[in-house]
Each structure stands twice: as structure tokens, then as C-alpha cells.
DNA sequence: CTTATTGCAAAAGATTTGCACTCCA
DNA sequence: TGGAGTGCAAATCTTTTGCAATAAG
């Protein structure tokens, strides 16, 4: 199954019309190892794709895809927001150390348990497949305590 | 100890100069039950304070206070960023519905439990005193499932 | 066919910045 | 007194929107 097929299936799965622009934007994010800003997505399409997409459409497409949880959206408050393809089969999260910047893996089990508890007690369904946690890794935390 | 004193002490504690504008901005956030945008802070000062502050200074002051962890910053990604006075004794969580934008209160107990579990099993110390969760409120989630 | 989607360009905001002046430490 | 802080207005920058044309289902 090609990358294009992956995107197309995902679009249909959430009930969205399949357009050349949405496929292009989706593939740009699917191919990206890291996250991309809207402008980076568009720039990539200018170079690598036969389908140039206007920036307005990139924004509209990203917004739509985020709404349908096909892509994740992260706004760290500085400059542009970033987006990334979400794989329902492999949920992930961002646990970023404020001191050294390392990304730490968090056991999905913990997130699931937390999510269920929140749903049960707070009448809110958190999207934990793309949670952005900030904190300290073990090494930096130890250093903070000793120092 | 007056509210003004609370702000002043905090400013001095982090090594910042004490100015009428910083006191005013700090008090505006300290008095706010919820969080405020920069414009809301300024508007409040026009009405309630003898110290009007330019919007540029409000932004600069907020930025400075956030840097010194006196104030918390939250960017909903839509519209303006919001700020709030940080009180270590009263952690504040944000659970924002992606569909209707409502903010839902999450029981602090759940976050504490989650934080302890993460620390114990994942060697990461999450900062949960100002966590921003994204998801759907009960109403929008029900609508999504039925629709 | 019917309605959603797109492109273009202009608009809308939110936040920042240059510069001269003011005030805290 | 010196350097940080402030006001004003213009500038920047990201994201949104109106409208006519186009394309998906």
C-alpha cells in the first residue's frame, strides 16, 4: 500500500472528501519524521510534489485534518504552530525535558489509564495520542535536586 | 499582606525591578479567578486601576513574568494567548474542547495520580501544575458519536 | 447536479520593535 | 547616574476570509 493510499484511506475513514490537495498535505506530513509548520508543508509541496497548494488551503486542510484527528497540532506559543501525521495504531506523545531537551518515552498504559479516569470522572475525553508533556528527565531531575 | 505586597514580594524574589506597571499587571492576574488575555489585562487596568498601562508594556511585562515563572502562559492556538498568576498552592489545569472551546475542570487528584505513575515508571517528572489538555467535552463527544 | 473545496489577494488580529523619554536601584 | 522599563505608533508575522471558479460524490 503506497503512502498515497494510506492518506486516502484515512480521509475516507473519517468521512472527508479526497482531493489532490489533501492527499498532498497528508503525504507531506506522513513522510516527515518530525513535525512541520504550515509553511514548511507548503514549501515541501512546491519542491517534491506535482501538486502545489496555496497556503490558505494548507491552513484550511490542516485545520480540517486536526478536527478529524488525522493530524496532530502543537502550538508551543513561539512562532508558528506545528503539525504531524497521527498514526492511530501507534499513538505517541511528547514528553520534553525543559533542561536538556531530550524526548522521553512514556508507557502508553499510563496514558490510557489516565484517559479513562478523566473520562469517567470529569466528563471530558482527552486526546492523549498526541499529548505534549513538559517536565524533567531523570538525569536532569537528579541534578536539580543535588545541585 | 495586601495583594500589592504579594506581587511585589514575588517580583523581588525573582530579581525583577518593581514598577507601577508590573504591580498593576500582576495584581490584575492575581485578582482574576480565571485567566486573562493581554488585552483583557489592559482593559481591566483602564477601569480598576489608577495605573493605565500601554498594551506593548502589558505584553512585555507578561513575557517577563512568564520567563520568571511568576505567571503561566497558555496558547489555545486560536485567538489570543492567555495568562494567569501562578500559585504553587493552587495548581490549575486546562482541558479545552476542540469543538466548542469550553474549558472543563479536571480533578487535580487524577493529575497527581498520573504524575506519580509517570515518575515511578517512566523516569520523567512531568510539570502538571499548568497542564494543557486537548479533547472533547461530554456534549461534543456525544454529538460526534451520534452524528 | 449539489455542495464542498480551492486559489487569490486582501484582511484580520495578535504580538513585537525602534526610538525617545522616564524612573527604579 | 546608568541602565532597565515604558509609551507610542508602525511594523511583522501568522492565520483567516470573501468570493468566484472548480471538482468530488
Amino acid at each position: 500500500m503506497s503512502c498515497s493510499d494510506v492518506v486516502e484511506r484515512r480521509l475516507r475513514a473519517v468521512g472527508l472528501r479526497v482531493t489532490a490537495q489533501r492527499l498532498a498535505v497528508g503525504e507531506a506530513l506522513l513522510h516527515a519524521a518530525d513535525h512541520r509548520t504550515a509553511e514548511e508543508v507548503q514549501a515541501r509541496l512546491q519542491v517534491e510534489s506535482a501538486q502545489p497548494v496555496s497556503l490558505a488551503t494548507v491552513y484550511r486542510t490542516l485545520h480540517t485534518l486536526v478536527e478529524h484527528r488525522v493530524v496532530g497540532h502543537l502550538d508551543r506559543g513561539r512562532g508558528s504552530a506545528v503539525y504531524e501525521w497521527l498514526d492511530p495504531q501507534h499513538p505517541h506523545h511528547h514528553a520534553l525535558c525543559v533542561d536538556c531537551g531530550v524526548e522521553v518515552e512514556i508507557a502508553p498504559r499510563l496514558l490510557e489509564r489516565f484517559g479513562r479516569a478523566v473520562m469517567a470522572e470529569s466528563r471530558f475525553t482527552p486526546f492523549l495520542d498526541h499529548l505534549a508533556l513538559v517536565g524533567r528527565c531523570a538525569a536532569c531531575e537528579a541534578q536539580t535536586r543535588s545541585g
Side-chain angles (χ1 to χ4, degrees), chain A:
Chain A
M1 187 163 63
S2 75
C3 290
S4 173
D5 288 338
V6 172
V7 176
E8 181 170 346
R9 286 191 180 198
R10 200 89 183 78
L11 289 176
R12 294 195 192 283
V14 298
L16 285 174
R17 285 192 180 183
V18 178
T19 69
Q21 289 86 346
R22 285 177 178 169
L23 287 174
V25 169
E27 282 187 69
L29 290 177
L30 187 54
H31 287 147
D34 52 350
H35 9 245
R36 297 257 162 85
T37 66
E39 290 216 333
E40 285 166 354
V41 167
Q42 194 207 19
R44 181 124 172 173
L45 296 187
Q46 302 284 11
V47 178
E48 298 193 358
S49 169
Q51 178 64 53
V53 182
S54 74
L55 192 54
T57 293
V58 170
Y59 274 110
R60 276 189 287 226
T61 300
L62 288 172
H63 186 258
T64 301
L65 296 181
V66 168
E67 269 187 341
H68 289 81
R69 301 185 57 186
V70 172
V71 311
H73 168 270
L74 199 59
D75 194 333
R76 290 192 167 137
R78 349 160 195 157
S80 318
V82 292
Y83 304 83
E84 70 184 354
W85 184 262
L86 291 184
D87 182 351
Q89 253 53 52
H90 301 89
H92 73 291
H93 42 264
H94 303 269
L96 190 71
C97 177
V98 294
D99 286 347
C100 68
V102 72
E103 282 216 355
V104 177
E105 188 70 14
I106 302 228
R109 178 178 82 264
L110 299 179
L111 289 166
E112 287 160 18
R113 187 187 306 161
F114 173 61
R116 281 196 300 272
V118 170
M119 279 192 277
E121 296 194 34
S122 297
R123 295 175 53 76
F124 184 83
T125 305
F127 298 165
L128 298 175
D129 53 352
H130 191 231
L131 180 66
L133 279 180
V134 171
R136 277 205 192 87
C137 68
C140 290
E141 180 66 11
Q143 195 169 14
T144 297
R145 287 182 177 173
S146 68

